[in-house]
Amino acid sequence: PWKSLMRCLFYQFSCAAEDEETQKRGLLVVAYFIGNASNPANQFTRQQNQDILTMVRTFMPVRIPAIHICCGSHPIVYSAMQLFTFLLGTNLRVRLRMHYGTHTEVQYNLMSFGIPVEALPIDYKGELKTKAQFKWIQHRRATEEQAKVNGQEGSCFDTIIEPPALADVLLRRGKNFQNHPGNQRMQELVARVQAEYVSTTGTPKWIFASSVVDEIHSAGGRFLECSKKGVWSEVERLEAINRVSKGIRNEP
């Protein structure tokens, strides 16, 4: 289990390092030890725990702005976490936040730091949520298979995007996608050109749609569509203009 954990951690950190936005903002770490794993110090030997901490301190390919550790409220856990904090090192210790209590209590504490707890693979009752995990694994498999086809195994390439950036427009239906910051920005731009289009006669709709696409691109955004395998890729400019044009109505 220890070697498998080390491989998983290193693989996940390496995947995170492929994302430009993560490289700029850093990687927020949430370690969750409540329930069967309420005492993380007992999961591995002391040497193995030190090896994990050494990897986090020394070999992390991305910057870690904060570490949140969630544990049960048993007295033994407090003692174990004090030792863990000491071994973590000064550089990471100042970024460490500890949360003790039940699932509900610690998740409310995480929310006070702006962490979207709905993204955690566990709910308030302690039930595991595996849907997003399996979807991510499927995405990674599709990404790596495409990399092999392109002859770029082990490197980052342009045809597949993971994950979409905040400025990107996600061309999918659903409330969650429409609430994406890039989609909301596009809706604001479409509403602005809508009035201009209605009040102007003879100007093709694609002209106004093109201005929206250009503004999204100038802000670093892209128009992305998702394949059946869950892989995001950027659409051509003409396709983006066509999609935006459908949102511009003939009447106000």
Side-chain angles (χ1 to χ4, degrees), residues 68-84:
H68 294 264
I69 298 182
C70 307
C71 298
S73 55
H74 194 279
I76 297 179
V77 176
Y78 286 104
S79 301
M81 287 298 97
Q82 289 178 355
L83 175 61
F84 176 85

Side-chain angles (χ1 to χ4, degrees), residues 76-136:
I76 297 179
V77 176
Y78 286 104
S79 301
M81 287 298 97
Q82 289 178 355
L83 175 61
F84 176 85
T85 302
F86 174 77
L87 296 174
L88 195 59
T90 305
N91 187 33
L92 290 177
R93 192 182 305 149
V94 296
R95 311 175 193 177
L96 179 66
R97 294 293 184 273
M98 302 296 303
H99 308 282
Y100 298 99
T102 63
H103 294 285
T104 301
E105 290 171 341
V106 299
Q107 291 192 27
Y108 269 101
N109 288 338
L110 292 175
M111 290 172 62
S112 67
F113 288 88
I115 298 175
V117 295
E118 64 273 7
L120 296 177
I122 192 168
D123 61 18
Y124 292 106
K125 297 180 181 180
E127 298 292 335
L128 293 177
K129 300 182 294 185
T130 59
K131 182 178 179 180
Q133 179 184 7
F134 288 135
K135 186 176 181 179
W136 182 80

Side-chain angles (χ1 to χ4, degrees), residues 141-213:
R141 285 177 176 172
T143 300
E144 293 172 4
E145 288 174 1
Q146 185 64 41
K148 293 179 180 179
V149 172
N150 294 350
Q152 298 172 329
E153 184 175 5
S155 64
C156 184
F157 47 95
D158 297 331
T159 56
I160 293 180
I161 296 160
E162 179 195 6
L166 296 178
D168 293 334
V169 176
L170 309 182
L171 301 175
R172 292 197 67 176
R173 296 181 179 180
K175 184 177 180 180
N176 291 336
F177 297 107
Q178 296 308 312
N179 289 337
H180 186 75
N183 291 61
Q184 292 181 337
R185 174 57 178 162
M186 185 194 69
Q187 293 169 10
E188 294 173 358
L189 296 174
V190 169
R192 187 185 68 186
V193 303
Q194 174 69 43
E196 299 177 7
Y197 172 69
V198 173
S199 61
T200 303
T201 57
T203 305
K205 185 185 294 188
W206 69 268
I207 296 293
F208 296 94
S210 178
S211 66
V212 173
V213 172

Side-chain angles (χ1 to χ4, degrees), residues 13-87:
F13 290 150
S14 299
C15 292
E18 295 178 1
D19 179 52
E20 182 177 351
E21 189 170 349
T22 302
Q23 293 177 6
K24 293 178 180 179
R25 300 191 176 198
L27 180 66
L28 177 68
V29 176
V30 178
Y32 208 92
F33 302 106
I34 298 180
N36 293 332
S38 58
N39 188 358
N42 290 338
Q43 301 300 311
F44 307 105
T45 66
R46 181 175 180 180
Q47 182 60 47
Q48 290 172 342
N49 285 323
Q50 288 180 342
D51 290 341
I52 295 175
L53 293 174
T54 299
M55 186 191 73
V56 173
R57 290 197 305 260
T58 310
F59 303 109
M60 279 291 294
V62 292
R63 181 176 62 87
I64 301 179
I67 301 176
H68 294 264
I69 298 182
C70 307
C71 298
S73 55
H74 194 279
I76 297 179
V77 176
Y78 286 104
S79 301
M81 287 298 97
Q82 289 178 355
L83 175 61
F84 176 85
T85 302
F86 174 77
L87 296 174

